[in-house]
Every structure is written in C-alpha cells, then in structure tokens.
Coordinates of all heavy atoms in Angstrom, one line a residue:
M1 N 0.8 -1.2 0.0 CA 0.0 0.0 0.0 C 0.9 1.2 0.0 O 2.1 1.2 0.3 CB -0.9 0.0 1.2 CG -1.9 -1.2 1.3 SD -3.1 -1.1 0.0 CE -3.6 -2.8 0.0
A2 N 0.3 2.4 -0.2 CA 1.0 3.6 -0.3 C 1.2 4.3 1.0 O 0.4 4.1 1.9 CB 0.2 4.6 -1.2
S3 N 2.3 5.0 1.1 CA 2.5 5.8 2.3 C 2.0 7.2 2.0 O 1.8 7.6 0.9 CB 4.0 5.9 2.7 OG 4.7 6.7 1.8
S4 N 1.8 8.0 3.0 CA 1.3 9.4 2.8 C 2.2 10.2 1.9 O 1.8 11.1 1.2 CB 1.0 10.1 4.1 OG 2.2 10.2 4.8
A5 N 3.5 9.8 1.9 CA 4.5 10.5 1.1 C 4.2 10.2 -0.4 O 4.7 11.0 -1.3 CB 5.9 10.2 1.5
Q6 N 3.5 9.1 -0.7 CA 3.3 8.8 -2.1 C 2.0 9.3 -2.7 O 1.8 9.2 -3.9 CB 3.3 7.2 -2.2 CG 4.6 6.6 -1.9 CD 4.6 5.1 -1.9 OE1 3.7 4.5 -1.3 NE2 5.4 4.5 -2.6
L7 N 1.2 10.0 -1.9 CA 0.1 10.7 -2.5 C 0.6 11.8 -3.4 O 1.6 12.4 -3.1 CB -0.8 11.3 -1.4 CG -1.7 10.3 -0.6 CD1 -2.4 11.1 0.5 CD2 -2.7 9.7 -1.5
D8 N -0.1 12.1 -4.4 CA 0.3 13.1 -5.4 C 0.0 14.5 -4.9 O 0.3 15.5 -5.6 CB -0.4 12.9 -6.7 CG 0.0 11.6 -7.4 OD1 1.1 11.1 -7.2 OD2 -0.9 11.0 -8.1
F9 N -0.6 14.7 -3.8 CA -0.9 16.0 -3.2 C -0.8 15.8 -1.7 O -0.9 14.7 -1.1 CB -2.2 16.6 -3.6 CG -3.4 15.7 -3.3 CD1 -4.1 16.0 -2.1 CD2 -3.8 14.7 -4.2 CE1 -5.2 15.2 -1.8 CE2 -4.9 14.0 -3.9 CZ -5.6 14.2 -2.7
N10 N -0.7 16.9 -0.9 CA -0.6 16.9 0.5 C -2.0 16.9 1.1 O -2.6 17.9 1.5 CB 0.2 18.1 1.0 CG 0.5 17.9 2.5 OD1 -0.1 17.2 3.2 ND2 1.5 18.7 2.9
L11 N -2.6 15.7 1.2 CA -4.0 15.5 1.8 C -4.0 16.0 3.2 O -5.0 16.6 3.6 CB -4.4 14.0 1.7 CG -5.8 13.7 2.2 CD1 -6.9 14.6 1.6 CD2 -6.1 12.2 2.0
Q12 N -3.0 15.8 4.0 CA -3.0 16.2 5.4 C -3.2 17.7 5.5 O -4.0 18.2 6.3 CB -1.7 15.8 6.1 CG -1.7 16.2 7.5 CD -0.4 15.8 8.2 OE1 0.3 14.9 7.8 NE2 -0.1 16.5 9.3
A13 N -2.5 18.5 4.6 CA -2.6 19.9 4.7 C -4.0 20.4 4.3 O -4.6 21.3 4.9 CB -1.6 20.6 3.7
L14 N -4.6 19.7 3.4 CA -6.0 20.0 3.0 C -7.0 19.7 4.1 O -7.9 20.4 4.4 CB -6.4 19.3 1.7 CG -5.6 19.7 0.5 CD1 -6.1 18.9 -0.7 CD2 -5.7 21.2 0.2
L15 N -6.8 18.5 4.8 CA -7.7 18.1 5.9 C -7.6 19.0 7.1 O -8.5 19.3 7.8 CB -7.4 16.7 6.3 CG -7.8 15.6 5.3 CD1 -7.4 14.2 5.7 CD2 -9.3 15.6 5.0
E16 N -6.4 19.6 7.3 CA -6.1 20.5 8.4 C -6.8 21.8 8.2 O -7.0 22.6 9.1 CB -4.6 20.7 8.6 CG -4.0 19.4 9.2 CD -2.5 19.5 9.3 OE1 -1.9 20.4 8.8 OE2 -1.9 18.6 9.9
Q17 N -7.3 22.1 7.0 CA -8.0 23.3 6.7 C -9.5 23.2 7.1 O -10.2 24.2 7.2 CB -7.9 23.7 5.2 CG -6.5 24.1 4.8 CD -6.5 24.5 3.4 OE1 -7.4 25.1 2.9 NE2 -5.4 24.2 2.7
L18 N -9.9 22.0 7.4 CA -11.3 21.7 7.8 C -11.5 22.0 9.3 O -10.6 21.7 10.1 CB -11.7 20.3 7.5 CG -11.7 19.9 6.0 CD1 -12.0 18.4 5.9 CD2 -12.6 20.7 5.2
S19 N -12.6 22.5 9.7 CA -13.0 22.6 11.1 C -13.2 21.2 11.6 O -13.3 20.3 10.9 CB -14.2 23.5 11.3 OG -15.3 22.8 10.8
Q20 N -13.3 21.1 13.0 CA -13.6 19.8 13.6 C -15.0 19.2 13.0 O -15.0 18.0 12.7 CB -13.7 19.9 15.1 CG -13.4 18.6 15.8 CD -12.1 18.0 15.5 OE1 -11.1 18.6 15.3 NE2 -12.1 16.7 15.4
D21 N -16.0 20.1 12.9 CA -17.3 19.6 12.4 C -17.1 19.2 10.9 O -17.7 18.2 10.5 CB -18.3 20.7 12.5 CG -18.8 21.0 13.9 OD1 -18.6 20.1 14.8 OD2 -19.3 22.1 14.2
E22 N -16.4 20.0 10.1 CA -16.2 19.6 8.7 C -15.4 18.3 8.6 O -15.7 17.5 7.7 CB -15.5 20.7 8.0 CG -16.3 22.0 7.8 CD -15.5 23.2 7.3 OE1 -14.3 23.3 7.7 OE2 -16.1 24.0 6.6
L23 N -14.4 18.1 9.4 CA -13.6 16.9 9.4 C -14.5 15.7 9.7 O -14.5 14.6 9.1 CB -12.4 16.9 10.4 CG -11.5 15.7 10.3 CD1 -10.9 15.5 8.9 CD2 -10.4 15.9 11.4
S24 N -15.4 15.8 10.7 CA -16.4 14.8 11.1 C -17.3 14.5 9.9 O -17.6 13.3 9.6 CB -17.2 15.2 12.3 OG -16.4 15.3 13.4
K25 N -17.8 15.5 9.2 CA -18.6 15.3 8.1 C -17.9 14.6 7.0 O -18.4 13.7 6.3 CB -19.2 16.6 7.6 CG -20.1 16.5 6.4 CD -20.6 17.9 6.0 CE -21.6 17.8 4.8 NZ -22.1 19.1 4.4
F26 N -16.6 15.0 6.7 CA -15.8 14.3 5.7 C -15.6 12.8 6.0 O -15.8 12.0 5.1 CB -14.4 15.0 5.7 CG -13.5 14.4 4.7 CD1 -13.5 14.8 3.4 CD2 -12.5 13.5 5.1 CE1 -12.6 14.3 2.4 CE2 -11.6 13.0 4.1 CZ -11.7 13.4 2.8
K27 N -15.4 12.5 7.3 CA -15.2 11.1 7.7 C -16.5 10.3 7.4 O -16.4 9.2 6.9 CB -14.9 11.0 9.1 CG -13.5 11.5 9.5 CD -13.3 11.5 11.0 CE -12.1 12.3 11.5 NZ -12.0 12.3 12.9
S28 N -17.6 10.9 7.7 CA -18.9 10.2 7.4 C -19.1 10.0 5.9 O -19.5 9.0 5.4 CB -20.1 11.0 8.0 OG -20.0 11.1 9.4
L29 N -18.8 11.1 5.1 CA -19.0 11.0 3.7 C -18.1 10.0 3.0 O -18.5 9.4 2.0 CB -18.8 12.4 3.1 CG -19.9 13.4 3.3 CD1 -19.5 14.8 2.8 CD2 -21.2 13.0 2.6
I30 N -16.9 9.9 3.5 CA -15.9 9.1 2.8 C -16.3 7.6 2.8 O -16.0 6.9 1.8 CB -14.5 9.3 3.5 CG1 -13.4 9.1 2.5 CG2 -14.3 8.4 4.7 CD1 -13.3 10.1 1.4
R31 N -17.1 7.2 3.8 CA -17.6 5.8 3.8 C -18.7 5.6 2.8 O -19.0 4.5 2.4 CB -18.0 5.4 5.2 CG -16.8 5.2 6.1 CD -17.3 4.5 7.3 NE -16.2 4.3 8.3 CZ -15.5 3.2 8.3 NH1 -15.7 2.2 7.5 NH2 -14.5 3.0 9.2
T32 N -19.4 6.7 2.4 CA -20.5 6.5 1.4 C -20.0 6.6 0.0 O -20.8 6.2 -0.9 CB -21.5 7.6 1.6 OG1 -21.0 8.9 1.3 CG2 -22.0 7.7 3.1
I33 N -18.8 7.0 -0.3 CA -18.3 7.0 -1.6 C -18.1 5.6 -2.1 O -17.7 4.7 -1.4 CB -17.0 7.8 -1.7 CG1 -17.3 9.3 -1.3 CG2 -16.3 7.7 -3.0 CD1 -16.1 10.1 -1.1
S34 N -18.5 5.4 -3.4 CA -18.5 4.0 -3.9 C -17.1 3.4 -3.8 O -17.0 2.2 -3.7 CB -18.9 4.0 -5.4 OG -18.1 4.8 -6.2
L35 N -16.0 4.2 -3.8 CA -14.7 3.7 -3.6 C -14.4 3.3 -2.2 O -13.4 2.7 -1.9 CB -13.7 4.7 -4.0 CG -13.8 5.3 -5.4 CD1 -12.9 6.5 -5.6 CD2 -13.4 4.2 -6.4
G36 N -15.4 3.6 -1.3 CA -15.2 3.4 0.2 C -15.1 2.0 0.7 O -14.8 1.8 1.9
K37 N -15.2 1.0 -0.1 CA -15.1 -0.3 0.4 C -13.7 -0.6 1.0 O -13.6 -1.5 1.8 CB -15.5 -1.4 -0.6 CG -14.9 -1.3 -2.0 CD -15.6 -2.2 -2.9 CE -15.4 -1.7 -4.3 NZ -15.8 -2.5 -5.4
E38 N -12.7 0.1 0.5 CA -11.4 0.0 1.1 C -11.4 0.3 2.6 O -10.6 -0.3 3.3 CB -10.4 0.9 0.4 CG -9.6 0.3 -0.7 CD -10.4 0.0 -2.0 OE1 -11.6 0.0 -1.9 OE2 -9.8 -0.2 -3.0
L39 N -12.2 1.2 3.0 CA -12.3 1.6 4.4 C -13.2 0.7 5.2 O -13.2 0.9 6.4 CB -12.7 3.1 4.5 CG -11.7 4.2 4.3 CD1 -12.3 5.5 4.6 CD2 -10.5 3.9 5.1
Q40 N -13.9 -0.1 4.6 CA -14.9 -1.0 5.4 C -14.1 -1.9 6.3 O -14.7 -2.3 7.3 CB -15.8 -1.8 4.4 CG -16.6 -1.0 3.6 CD -17.5 0.1 4.3 OE1 -18.0 -0.2 5.3 NE2 -17.6 1.3 3.8
T41 N -12.9 -2.2 6.1 CA -12.1 -3.0 7.0 C -11.6 -2.3 8.2 O -11.1 -2.9 9.1 CB -10.9 -3.7 6.3 OG1 -10.1 -2.7 5.8 CG2 -11.4 -4.6 5.1
V42 N -11.6 -1.0 8.2 CA -11.1 -0.1 9.3 C -12.3 0.1 10.3 O -13.4 0.5 9.9 CB -10.7 1.2 8.7 CG1 -10.2 2.1 9.9 CG2 -9.6 1.1 7.7
P43 N -12.0 -0.2 11.6 CA -13.0 0.0 12.6 C -13.5 1.5 12.6 O -12.7 2.4 12.5 CB -12.4 -0.3 13.9 CG -11.2 -1.2 13.5 CD -10.8 -0.7 12.1
Q44 N -14.8 1.7 12.6 CA -15.4 3.0 12.6 C -14.9 3.9 13.7 O -14.6 5.1 13.4 CB -17.0 2.9 12.7 CG -17.7 4.3 12.6 CD -17.6 4.9 11.3 OE1 -17.7 4.3 10.3 NE2 -17.4 6.2 11.3
M45 N -14.6 3.3 14.8 CA -14.1 4.1 16.0 C -12.7 4.7 15.6 O -12.4 5.8 16.0 CB -14.1 3.3 17.2 CG -13.7 4.2 18.5 SD -13.9 3.3 20.0 CE -15.6 3.2 20.1
E46 N -11.9 3.9 14.9 CA -10.6 4.4 14.5 C -10.7 5.6 13.6 O -9.9 6.6 13.8 CB -9.8 3.2 13.9 CG -8.4 3.6 13.5 CD -7.6 2.4 12.9 OE1 -8.1 1.3 12.9 OE2 -6.6 2.7 12.3
V47 N -11.6 5.5 12.7 CA -11.8 6.7 11.8 C -12.4 7.9 12.5 O -11.9 9.0 12.4 CB -12.7 6.3 10.6 CG1 -13.1 7.5 9.7 CG2 -12.1 5.2 9.7
D48 N -13.3 7.6 13.4 CA -14.0 8.7 14.1 C -13.0 9.5 15.0 O -13.1 10.7 15.2 CB -15.1 8.2 15.0 CG -16.3 7.7 14.2 OD1 -16.4 8.1 13.0 OD2 -17.2 7.0 14.7
K49 N -12.1 8.8 15.6 CA -11.1 9.4 16.5 C -9.9 10.1 15.8 O -9.2 10.8 16.4 CB -10.6 8.4 17.5 CG -11.6 7.9 18.5 CD -11.0 7.0 19.5 CE -12.0 6.6 20.6 NZ -11.4 5.8 21.7
A50 N -9.8 9.8 14.5 CA -8.6 10.2 13.8 C -8.6 11.7 13.5 O -9.7 12.3 13.2 CB -8.5 9.5 12.5
N51 N -7.5 12.4 13.7 CA -7.3 13.8 13.2 C -6.9 13.7 11.8 O -6.8 12.6 11.2 CB -6.3 14.5 14.1 CG -4.9 13.9 14.1 OD1 -4.5 13.3 13.1 ND2 -4.1 14.2 15.1
G52 N -6.6 14.8 11.2 CA -6.2 14.9 9.7 C -5.1 14.0 9.4 O -5.1 13.2 8.4
K53 N -4.0 14.1 10.2 CA -2.8 13.3 9.9 C -3.1 11.8 10.1 O -2.7 11.0 9.2 CB -1.7 13.7 10.9 CG -0.4 12.9 10.7 CD 0.7 13.3 11.7 CE 1.9 12.5 11.4 NZ 3.0 12.8 12.4
Q54 N -3.8 11.4 11.1 CA -4.1 10.0 11.3 C -5.0 9.5 10.2 O -4.9 8.3 9.8 CB -4.8 9.8 12.7 CG -3.8 10.1 13.8 CD -4.5 10.3 15.2 OE1 -5.7 10.8 15.2 NE2 -3.8 10.0 16.3
L55 N -5.9 10.3 9.7 CA -6.8 9.9 8.7 C -6.1 9.6 7.4 O -6.3 8.6 6.7 CB -7.9 11.0 8.4 CG -9.1 10.6 7.6 CD1 -9.8 9.3 8.2 CD2 -10.1 11.7 7.5
V56 N -5.1 10.5 7.1 CA -4.2 10.2 5.9 C -3.5 8.9 6.1 O -3.4 8.1 5.2 CB -3.2 11.4 5.7 CG1 -2.2 11.0 4.7 CG2 -3.9 12.6 5.4
E57 N -3.0 8.6 7.3 CA -2.3 7.4 7.5 C -3.2 6.2 7.4 O -2.8 5.1 6.8 CB -1.7 7.4 8.9 CG -0.5 8.3 9.0 CD 0.0 8.5 10.5 OE1 -0.6 7.9 11.4 OE2 0.9 9.3 10.6
I58 N -4.5 6.3 7.8 CA -5.5 5.2 7.7 C -5.7 5.0 6.2 O -5.7 3.9 5.7 CB -6.8 5.6 8.4 CG1 -6.5 5.5 9.9 CG2 -7.9 4.6 8.0 CD1 -7.7 6.1 10.7
F59 N -6.0 6.1 5.5 CA -6.2 6.0 4.0 C -5.1 5.3 3.3 O -5.3 4.4 2.5 CB -6.3 7.4 3.4 CG -7.6 8.1 3.4 CD1 -8.7 7.5 4.2 CD2 -7.8 9.2 2.8 CE1 -9.9 8.2 4.2 CE2 -9.1 9.9 2.8 CZ -10.1 9.3 3.5
T60 N -3.9 5.7 3.6 CA -2.8 5.2 2.8 C -2.3 3.8 3.3 O -1.7 3.1 2.5 CB -1.6 6.2 2.8 OG1 -1.2 6.5 4.1 CG2 -2.0 7.5 2.0
S61 N -2.7 3.4 4.5 CA -2.3 2.1 4.9 C -3.3 1.0 4.5 O -3.1 -0.1 4.5 CB -2.0 2.1 6.4 OG -3.2 2.3 7.1
H62 N -4.5 1.5 4.2 CA -5.6 0.5 3.9 C -6.0 0.6 2.4 O -7.0 -0.1 2.0 CB -6.8 0.8 4.8 CG -6.6 0.3 6.2 ND1 -6.0 1.1 7.1 CD2 -6.9 -0.8 6.8 CE1 -5.9 0.5 8.2 NE2 -6.4 -0.7 8.1
S63 N -5.4 1.5 1.6 CA -5.8 1.6 0.2 C -4.6 2.1 -0.6 O -3.6 2.4 0.0 CB -7.0 2.6 0.1 OG -6.6 3.9 0.5
Y64 N -4.8 2.2 -1.9 CA -3.8 2.7 -2.7 C -3.9 4.2 -2.8 O -5.0 4.8 -2.6 CB -3.9 2.1 -4.1 CG -3.7 0.6 -4.1 CD1 -4.7 -0.3 -4.1 CD2 -2.4 0.1 -4.1 CE1 -4.5 -1.7 -4.1 CE2 -2.1 -1.3 -4.1 CZ -3.2 -2.1 -4.0 OH -2.9 -3.5 -4.0
S65 N -2.8 4.8 -3.1 CA -2.8 6.3 -3.1 C -3.8 6.9 -4.1 O -4.4 7.9 -3.9 CB -1.4 6.8 -3.4 OG -0.9 6.4 -4.7
Y66 N -4.0 6.2 -5.3 CA -5.0 6.7 -6.2 C -6.4 6.7 -5.6 O -7.1 7.7 -5.7 CB -5.0 5.8 -7.5 CG -6.1 6.2 -8.5 CD1 -5.9 7.2 -9.3 CD2 -7.3 5.5 -8.5 CE1 -6.8 7.6 -10.2 CE2 -8.3 5.9 -9.4 CZ -8.1 7.0 -10.2 OH -9.0 7.3 -11.1
W67 N -6.8 5.6 -4.9 CA -8.1 5.6 -4.3 C -8.2 6.7 -3.2 O -9.2 7.4 -3.1 CB -8.4 4.3 -3.6 CG -9.7 4.3 -2.9 CD1 -10.9 4.1 -3.5 CD2 -9.9 4.7 -1.6 NE1 -11.9 4.3 -2.5 CE2 -11.3 4.7 -1.4 CE3 -9.1 5.1 -0.5 CZ2 -11.9 5.0 -0.2 CZ3 -9.7 5.5 0.7 CH2 -11.1 5.4 0.8
A68 N -7.1 6.8 -2.4 CA -7.2 7.8 -1.3 C -7.4 9.2 -1.9 O -8.2 10.0 -1.4 CB -5.9 7.8 -0.5
G69 N -6.7 9.5 -3.0 CA -6.8 10.8 -3.7 C -8.2 11.0 -4.2 O -8.8 12.1 -4.0
M70 N -8.7 10.0 -5.0 CA -10.0 10.2 -5.6 C -11.1 10.3 -4.5 O -12.0 11.1 -4.7 CB -10.3 9.0 -6.5 CG -9.4 9.0 -7.8 SD -9.5 10.5 -8.7 CE -11.2 10.5 -9.2
A71 N -11.0 9.5 -3.5 CA -12.0 9.5 -2.4 C -12.0 10.9 -1.7 O -13.1 11.4 -1.4 CB -11.8 8.4 -1.4
A72 N -10.8 11.4 -1.5 CA -10.7 12.7 -0.8 C -11.3 13.8 -1.7 O -12.1 14.6 -1.2 CB -9.3 13.1 -0.5
I73 N -11.0 13.8 -3.0 CA -11.6 14.8 -3.9 C -13.1 14.7 -3.9 O -13.8 15.7 -3.9 CB -11.0 14.6 -5.3 CG1 -9.5 15.0 -5.3 CG2 -11.8 15.4 -6.4 CD1 -8.7 14.6 -6.6
Q74 N -13.6 13.5 -4.0 CA -15.1 13.3 -4.0 C -15.7 13.7 -2.7 O -16.8 14.3 -2.7 CB -15.5 11.8 -4.3 CG -15.2 11.5 -5.8 CD -15.6 10.0 -6.0 OE1 -16.5 9.5 -5.4 NE2 -15.0 9.4 -7.0
G75 N -15.0 13.5 -1.6 CA -15.5 13.9 -0.3 C -15.6 15.4 -0.2 O -16.6 16.0 0.3
F76 N -14.5 16.1 -0.6 CA -14.5 17.5 -0.6 C -15.7 18.1 -1.5 O -16.3 19.1 -1.1 CB -13.2 18.1 -1.1 CG -12.0 17.9 -0.2 CD1 -10.8 17.5 -0.7 CD2 -12.2 17.9 1.2 CE1 -9.7 17.3 0.2 CE2 -11.1 17.7 2.0 CZ -9.9 17.4 1.5
E77 N -15.9 17.5 -2.7 CA -16.9 17.9 -3.6 C -18.3 17.8 -2.9 O -19.2 18.6 -3.0 CB -16.9 17.2 -4.9 CG -15.7 17.6 -5.8 CD -15.5 16.8 -7.0 OE1 -16.2 15.8 -7.2 OE2 -14.6 17.2 -7.8
K78 N -18.6 16.6 -2.3 CA -19.9 16.4 -1.6 C -20.1 17.4 -0.5 O -21.2 17.7 -0.1 CB -19.9 15.0 -1.1 CG -20.2 13.9 -2.2 CD -20.4 12.6 -1.6 CE -20.7 11.6 -2.7 NZ -21.4 10.4 -2.2
M79 N -19.0 17.9 0.1 CA -19.1 18.9 1.2 C -19.2 20.3 0.6 O -19.2 21.3 1.4 CB -17.9 18.8 2.1 CG -17.8 17.5 2.9 SD -16.3 17.4 3.8 CE -16.4 18.9 4.9
N80 N -19.2 20.5 -0.7 CA -19.1 21.8 -1.3 C -17.9 22.5 -1.0 O -17.9 23.8 -0.9 CB -20.4 22.6 -1.0 CG -21.6 22.0 -1.6 OD1 -21.6 21.5 -2.8 ND2 -22.7 22.0 -0.9
E81 N -16.8 21.8 -0.7 CA -15.5 22.4 -0.5 C -14.7 22.3 -1.8 O -13.7 21.7 -1.9 CB -14.8 21.7 0.6 CG -15.4 21.8 2.0 CD -15.3 23.2 2.6 OE1 -14.5 24.0 2.2 OE2 -16.1 23.4 3.5
T82 N -15.3 23.0 -2.8 CA -14.7 22.9 -4.2 C -13.3 23.4 -4.2 O -12.5 22.9 -5.0 CB -15.6 23.6 -5.2 OG1 -15.8 24.9 -4.8 CG2 -16.9 22.8 -5.4
H83 N -13.0 24.4 -3.4 CA -11.6 25.0 -3.5 C -10.6 23.9 -3.0 O -9.5 23.8 -3.6 CB -11.5 26.2 -2.6 CG -11.7 26.0 -1.1 ND1 -12.9 25.7 -0.6 CD2 -10.8 26.0 -0.1 CE1 -12.8 25.5 0.7 NE2 -11.5 25.7 1.0
L84 N -11.0 23.0 -2.1 CA -10.1 21.9 -1.7 C -10.0 20.8 -2.7 O -9.0 20.3 -3.0 CB -10.5 21.4 -0.3 CG -10.5 22.3 0.9 CD1 -11.0 21.7 2.1 CD2 -9.0 22.9 1.1
S85 N -11.2 20.5 -3.3 CA -11.1 19.4 -4.3 C -10.4 19.9 -5.5 O -9.6 19.1 -6.1 CB -12.6 19.0 -4.7 OG -13.3 20.0 -5.3
E86 N -10.5 21.1 -5.9 CA -9.7 21.7 -7.0 C -8.2 21.7 -6.8 O -7.4 21.3 -7.6 CB -10.2 23.0 -7.4 CG -11.6 23.0 -8.1 CD -12.2 24.4 -8.2 OE1 -11.6 25.4 -7.8 OE2 -13.3 24.5 -8.7
R87 N -7.9 22.1 -5.6 CA -6.4 22.1 -5.2 C -5.9 20.7 -5.2 O -4.8 20.4 -5.7 CB -6.2 22.7 -3.8 CG -6.3 24.2 -3.9 CD -6.1 24.9 -2.6 NE -4.9 24.5 -2.0 CZ -4.6 24.6 -0.7 NH1 -5.5 25.1 0.1 NH2 -3.4 24.3 -0.2
A88 N -6.6 19.7 -4.7 CA -6.2 18.3 -4.7 C -6.1 17.8 -6.1 O -5.1 17.2 -6.5 CB -7.1 17.5 -3.9
D89 N -7.1 18.1 -6.9 CA -7.1 17.6 -8.3 C -5.9 18.2 -9.1 O -5.3 17.5 -9.9 CB -8.4 17.8 -8.9 CG -8.7 16.9 -10.1 OD1 -8.1 15.8 -10.2 OD2 -9.4 17.4 -11.0
E90 N -5.7 19.5 -8.9 CA -4.6 20.2 -9.7 C -3.3 19.5 -9.3 O -2.5 19.3 -10.2 CB -4.6 21.6 -9.3 CG -5.6 22.5 -9.9 CD -5.6 23.9 -9.4 OE1 -4.7 24.3 -8.6 OE2 -6.5 24.7 -9.7
R91 N -3.1 19.3 -8.1 CA -1.8 18.7 -7.6 C -1.6 17.3 -8.0 O -0.5 16.8 -8.2 CB -1.6 18.9 -6.1 CG -1.5 20.4 -5.8 CD -1.2 20.6 -4.3 NE -1.0 22.0 -4.1 CZ -1.3 22.6 -3.0 NH1 -1.7 21.9 -1.9 NH2 -1.1 23.9 -2.8
R92 N -2.7 16.6 -8.2 CA -2.7 15.2 -8.6 C -2.3 15.1 -10.1 O -1.6 14.2 -10.5 CB -4.0 14.5 -8.3 CG -4.0 13.0 -8.4 CD -5.3 12.5 -7.9 NE -6.5 13.0 -8.6 CZ -6.9 12.6 -9.8 NH1 -6.2 11.6 -10.4 NH2 -7.9 13.1 -10.3
V93 N -2.8 16.1 -10.8 CA -2.6 16.1 -12.3 C -1.2 16.7 -12.7 O -0.6 16.3 -13.6 CB -3.7 16.8 -13.0 CG1 -3.4 17.0 -14.5 CG2 -5.0 16.0 -12.8
M94 N -0.8 17.7 -11.9 CA 0.4 18.4 -12.3 C 1.7 17.5 -12.5 O 2.3 17.7 -13.5 CB 0.8 19.5 -11.2 CG -0.2 20.7 -11.2 SD -0.2 21.5 -12.8 CE 1.1 22.6 -12.5
P95 N 2.0 16.5 -11.7 CA 3.1 15.7 -12.0 C 3.0 15.0 -13.3 O 4.0 14.7 -13.9 CB 3.2 14.7 -10.8 CG 2.4 15.4 -9.7 CD 1.4 16.2 -10.4
L96 N 1.8 14.7 -13.7 CA 1.6 13.9 -14.9 C 1.9 14.8 -16.1 O 2.2 14.3 -17.2 CB 0.1 13.4 -15.0 CG -0.3 12.5 -14.0 CD1 -1.8 12.2 -14.1 CD2 0.5 11.2 -14.0
L97 N 1.8 16.1 -16.0 CA 2.0 17.1 -17.1 C 3.5 17.4 -17.2 O 3.9 18.0 -18.2 CB 1.2 18.3 -16.9 CG -0.4 18.1 -16.8 CD1 -1.0 19.4 -16.5 CD2 -0.8 17.5 -18.1
S98 N 4.3 17.2 -16.2 CA 5.7 17.6 -16.2 C 6.5 16.7 -17.1 O 6.2 15.6 -17.3 CB 6.3 17.5 -14.8 OG 5.5 18.3 -13.9

C-alpha cells in the first residue's frame, strides 16, 4: 500500500483546513463514496477518533494512493468544498504534465 508521502498531493494539509465539524462530516461522507469499500475493514471508531494526519495514515495504509486521492476529492466535492477538491485535483494532475 502507499504511504502518505506517495500521495500526489498533501492531503494532510487540506484536511487540516477543515474545522472539527467539517472533518467529522468528511469522515462520514468518505464511507459513502463508492470507492469506500477499502475503508470498510477499518473500525469506525478508529476513523472517528482520527485527526487529519491520522486519517491520511489510515487512508494510505488501507488503500492505494490513487483511491485515497480520488475519495478525498469526491468527499470535498460532496461537502461543497470545491476549493479543496480543485487544489487536490490540480496537484494530482500536475506531476503527470511535467
């Protein structure tokens, strides 16, 4: 599986921009995303207690970096945090254009 260093963008920095309520909403939404079956093996309590850094570690230890990135982007979009989803998507695509 991928480490957080292998994500194509800094998910932790984006998650840290969310308030505690927004982070809780993000955690709930991430399990509803069709890609979320990767997280079904993670105990709900572990996800609920996680801060931004820990959530990135959970994502990257239980799934591939591509899934973690796509799930995060979709989660931000469902929360209407388009500025975060756009930043994540731009950073994910930029290395491919270099």
